[in-house]
Amino acid sequence: MSINQLSALASPLNDQQIDQLKLAAAESSPQQLAWISGYFWGLSQSQSSTTASVPASNVLAAAKPAGKLTIIYASQTGNAKGVAQALQQQALAQDIAVNLVSAGDFKGKNLSKETHVIIIASTHGEGEAPDDAIELHQFLQSKKAPQLSNLHYGVIGLGDSSYEFFCQTAKDFDRYLAKLGAKPMLDRLDCDVDYEVAAAEWRTQALAKTKQTLSTGEAEVVQLPVGQNATSAATYTKQNPYTASLLVSQKITGRNSDKDVRHIEIDLEGSGLSYQAGDALGVWFENDPQLVDAILAKLDLDAATSVDVDGSNLSIRDALISHYEITASNPQFVTQYAKLSGSKKLQKLVDDREKLREYAANNQIIDVLTAKKTVLTASQLISLLRRLTPRLYSIASSQQEVGEEVHLTVGVVEFSQGDEQRQGGASSFLSQRLQEGAAVKVFVETNHNFKLPADDNTPVIMIGPGTGIAPFRAFVQERDNREATGKNWLFFGDRTFTEDFLYQVEWQKYLKDGVVDQIDVAFSRDQAEKIYVQQRILEQAPQVWQWLQAGSHVYVCGDATHMAKDVHQALLTVIEQQGKKTREQAEQYLNELRKDKRYQRDMY
């Protein structure tokens, strides 16, 4: 429990005593705070008539300088932070002194002062470090990095094995630390999208190793009586979502569009949930029962067959509806099914990693099962599947504008596979299976790496084709409500002006009212030659450079596979040509913008 949290609780201290503690804490180092904590605990034990006396050695142990575990998280969307917070709670429950810190707030040179560090890192884009970890990532590769022979460390990576650079940032940190002489407490864990169970097991092992090495004399540990609730968590989380209700699901693409994009409004009244522009909403969904029945029929499985899910017996049908990912495929599923089925077609894919990733990305679970009919038990089937995880959607509203609601912009995933139609699990749930007024479980996922500048005078450039427009609707609503004076420039692109200009009326009004200063659009199919947002950026190169020189923040949201890369290259070209820089200097310039939070990306 931090001193700053005391005043928010029913404390036995009066206001003056709390103020005195706050003042003392502000002037104390972490070691001094640990000593004070142990000292006060010793006093409380010696003065308590209901508690057995504590041996003097225990009080002395508490008064020693703290041997501690430092947990560093490098998080782009919040998952790594969540795992780090869970590890912190477990450490506190085991009386391990612990320091939790974002990679962006940790100075690399201080690693030489640490004895035990665990890094929990996600991977961004094409194997890049998250924005808050750029400096630490670069520092550990530099000549300034110290030798770390006294450091015990562990690394967890969070990623998606469907991508080529799976958990690359974690692999980098592991390699850099080992090269500097640090000693791994246990092997690095590379987690896939359903990481909860594996991460929990690893945390338990890591803390056991930490306690073992802390107690061998290599470092000293302070036995602090800190409870599990020392760090308060949000009321509603991924593990404990809020049951909201659907208010609106409205198609906002034209009747002749070949895309179905929905404007979704969800009621949060009475939840106490709050969010900021740039955050995401996590949505738990149920799979389509018709798809479940089709999978069971393909495998000749009885829908009533019982399976164990987290210690509970459920029918295989209910388990597939609510607990397992049965739409999106992945390389691991294809690989395992190829082995079980003996399919030569699938085995050829397994032998070619690039083709395997491509196949998994373009074929759903039922398509893989169709490759070769195989007999599987219900238990075998669920052992092959990933656990269902919530989908994260960029929030498309400012709470200052909509109050106790949250808005999303959802593109329905639809494609043909032969004569059959395939749909995305979450997008079809929100757009087609969830009726207005029905319950939906949600939580807010804070995104510290996609936020408006604190200074309302700062100009912003927003680049968001397709459903990437969502957070920028929130940004402009927010700036309008704050009466921000900074200029706003939007680049938007889609297929056609008449059918796919999302929120067209709203944007035209913002432009007319002067809330948005400039909008550049690129509709790829309105002319013979396709035009995309990156081309509009290049056309406006002199002005883009002027805005950058004036301190503008640049935001990009949307497709990571193509658009984000193309926009990145366009920005490099602008900087290179307009700033008269070499390509290397342009890359450094853009990298500095990232480190300064002036170039932020939300990609999917």
Side-chain angles (χ1 to χ4, degrees):
M1 179 67 64
S2 71
I3 292 296
N4 289 332
Q5 291 172 301
L6 286 171
S7 56
L9 304 175
S11 171
L13 304 177
N14 60 39
D15 290 343
Q16 183 179 0
Q17 289 172 318
I18 291 175
D19 288 341
Q20 289 173 339
L21 282 175
K22 286 182 178 179
L23 181 60
E27 298 175 347
S28 301
S29 68
Q31 285 191 345
Q32 289 169 329
L33 287 172
W35 189 94
I36 293 170
S37 178
Y39 176 72
F40 281 164
W41 178 64
L43 287 179
S44 72
Q45 298 302 296
S46 64
Q47 294 175 7
S48 172
S49 58
T50 60
T51 306
S53 62
V54 180
S57 59
N58 286 357
V59 179
L60 289 174
K64 291 179 180 179
K68 71 178 187 304
L69 169 65
T70 293
I71 304 169
I72 302 171
Y73 62 88
S75 187
Q76 194 68 26
T77 60
N79 286 336
K81 182 179 180 181
V83 173
Q85 289 173 328
L87 178 60
Q88 178 196 33
Q89 292 297 311
Q90 287 179 255
L92 291 171
Q94 296 183 38
D95 292 342
I96 297 174
V98 61
N99 177 35
L100 178 67
V101 61
S102 163
D105 296 326
F106 187 86
K107 294 184 178 179
K109 65 180 182 180
N110 288 338
L111 278 171
S112 61
K113 303 174 185 177
E114 302 286 349
T115 61
H116 292 73
V117 166
I118 291 177
I119 296 178
I120 302 168
S122 62
T123 295
H124 186 54
E126 295 294 299
E128 303 166 30
D131 289 348
D132 60 353
I134 295 173
E135 288 196 51
L136 181 60
H137 190 263
Q138 291 179 338
F139 175 81
L140 289 175
Q141 303 173 64
S142 72
K143 294 180 180 180
K144 295 181 180 179
Q147 287 300 304
L148 301 172
S149 56
N150 293 322
L151 179 67
H152 298 268
Y153 78 94
V155 178
I156 298 182
L158 299 186
D160 184 339
S161 59
S162 301
Y163 293 95
E164 180 180 358
F165 299 99
F166 176 53
C167 291
Q168 187 60 49
T169 303
K171 293 173 182 176
D172 290 345
F173 276 131
D174 189 13
R175 185 172 72 256
Y176 299 156
L177 291 173
K179 189 175 181 179
L180 293 169
K183 297 182 283 289
M185 292 186 282
L186 68 171
D187 291 340
R188 183 189 70 250
L189 175 67
D190 294 335
C191 292
D192 216 329
V193 290
D194 50 348
Y195 58 84
E196 305 271 356
V197 174
E201 292 175 354
W202 191 95
R203 290 195 304 262
T204 299
Q205 296 174 29
L207 289 179
K209 290 286 187 180
T210 299
K211 292 190 77 170
Q212 179 183 359
T213 51
L214 279 170
S215 61
T216 60
E218 296 178 29
E220 294 176 304
V221 63
V222 178
Q223 300 296 331
L224 301 178
V226 185
Q228 285 183 301
N229 297 321
T231 299
S232 60
T235 305
Y236 297 109
T237 63
K238 179 180 177 180
Q239 292 75 25
N240 178 39
Y242 173 68
T243 302
S245 60
L246 179 69
L247 292 172
V248 172
S249 175
Q250 178 183 1
K251 187 179 179 183
I252 56 174
T253 41
R255 67 176 62 184
N256 296 316
S257 174
D258 54 3
K259 297 199 299 184
D260 183 353
V261 178
R262 300 296 178 106
H263 172 72
I264 304 289
E265 297 182 4
I266 293 173
D267 187 7
L268 300 178
E269 185 176 359
S271 68
L273 281 171
S274 63
Y275 59 86
Q276 296 179 7
D279 288 342
L281 189 76
V283 178
W284 284 99
F285 64 98
E286 291 190 343
N287 288 309
D288 185 352
Q290 292 185 1
L291 176 60
V292 170
D293 292 340
I295 289 174
L296 294 176
K298 192 166 290 292
L299 294 171
D300 294 328
L301 286 172
D302 185 343
T305 302
S306 179
V307 292
D308 180 88
V309 180
D310 299 333
S312 298
N313 287 323
L314 298 176
S315 71
I316 182 63
R317 188 174 191 271
D318 288 343
L320 293 181
I321 288 175
S322 302
H323 294 280
Y324 291 92
E325 175 62 74
I326 62 167
T327 50
S329 182
N330 61 83
Q332 282 68 37
F333 179 82
V334 178
T335 300
Q336 293 177 66
Y337 189 72
K339 184 177 180 180
L340 285 171
S341 66
S343 167
K344 293 182 180 178
K345 172 188 173 182
L346 294 181
Q347 191 57 54
K348 284 184 179 179
L349 292 170
V350 171
D351 295 337
D352 187 324
R353 294 184 63 182
E354 187 173 341
K355 288 184 178 179
L356 173 62
R357 281 194 298 272
E358 182 181 353
Y359 175 84
N362 293 300
N363 289 270
Q364 294 194 343
I365 295 294
I366 194 167
D367 301 315
V368 181
L369 297 176
T370 303
K372 184 175 182 181
K373 188 173 179 61
T374 303
V375 176
L376 292 179
T377 66
S379 295
Q380 280 180 314
L381 173 60
I382 64 172
S383 72
L384 298 178
L385 299 172
R386 289 173 168 176
R387 293 298 290 266
L388 196 67
T389 56
R391 298 294 193 264
L392 293 178
Y393 291 100
S394 298
I395 292 175
S397 57
S398 163
Q399 206 157 21
Q400 291 194 44
E401 176 84 12
V402 302
E404 291 189 294
E405 294 179 9
V406 62
H407 298 177
L408 307 176
T409 309
V410 177
V412 183
V413 176
E414 293 181 301
F415 60 95
S416 296
Q417 195 67 277
D419 296 331
E420 298 182 6
Q421 283 293 111
R422 299 286 182 252
Q423 293 184 322
S427 63
S428 62
F429 172 76
L430 284 170
S431 63
Q432 298 171 14
R433 298 195 300 280
L434 191 67
Q435 301 300 311
E436 292 184 0
V440 54
K441 294 180 179 180
V442 300
F443 61 95
V444 173
E445 190 73 66
T446 302
N447 186 354
H448 294 294
N449 297 307
F450 204 76
K451 283 289 179 284
L452 280 166
D455 184 353
D456 283 343
N457 297 314
T458 304
V460 299
I461 298 173
M462 301 167 286
I463 305 164
T467 55
I469 197 72
F472 303 135
R473 181 175 184 263
F475 276 19
V476 173
Q477 286 183 356
E478 180 81 9
R479 296 201 111 191
D480 186 28
N481 276 272
R482 280 162 40 175
E483 298 182 351
T485 58
K487 292 182 177 181
N488 301 299
W489 185 359
L490 174 70
F491 286 90
F492 174 74
D494 215 309
R495 294 181 179 176
T496 67
F497 174 83
T498 56
E499 305 293 328
D500 304 300
F501 195 164
L502 306 181
Y503 303 110
Q504 177 186 352
V505 174
E506 290 184 25
W507 289 115
Q508 289 176 330
K509 186 177 186 302
Y510 280 132
L511 188 62
K512 179 182 177 181
D513 294 345
V515 177
V516 174
D517 297 84
Q518 185 168 337
I519 297 179
D520 283 271
V521 294
F523 295 102
S524 61
R525 300 187 182 181
D526 276 350
Q527 60 284 309
E529 183 181 351
K530 291 183 178 180
I531 298 175
Y532 300 102
V533 288
Q534 60 268 23
Q535 290 162 271
R536 296 300 188 211
I537 292 169
L538 292 173
E539 289 171 2
Q540 298 286 355
Q543 192 173 357
V544 170
W545 178 244
Q546 288 174 9
W547 279 52
L548 290 176
Q549 291 296 89
S552 178
H553 287 216
V554 181
Y555 300 89
V556 182
C557 181
D559 167 51
T561 307
H562 300 293
M563 183 278 299
K565 296 177 186 176
D566 293 338
V567 167
H568 186 83
Q569 292 302 314
L571 290 171
L572 285 174
T573 299
V574 169
I575 296 164
E576 184 180 11
Q577 294 179 353
Q578 299 299 314
K580 294 180 172 50
K581 299 179 184 293
T582 65
R583 178 51 62 123
E584 184 178 350
Q585 289 171 333
E587 289 173 347
Q588 181 61 33
Y589 183 96
L590 203 51
N591 203 35
E592 289 298 321
L593 291 186
R594 277 189 68 192
K595 289 194 287 188
D596 293 340
K597 301 293 186 182
R598 287 183 53 202
Y599 177 37
Q600 300 182 35
R601 297 182 292 176
D602 182 10
M603 302 181 297
Y604 45 83

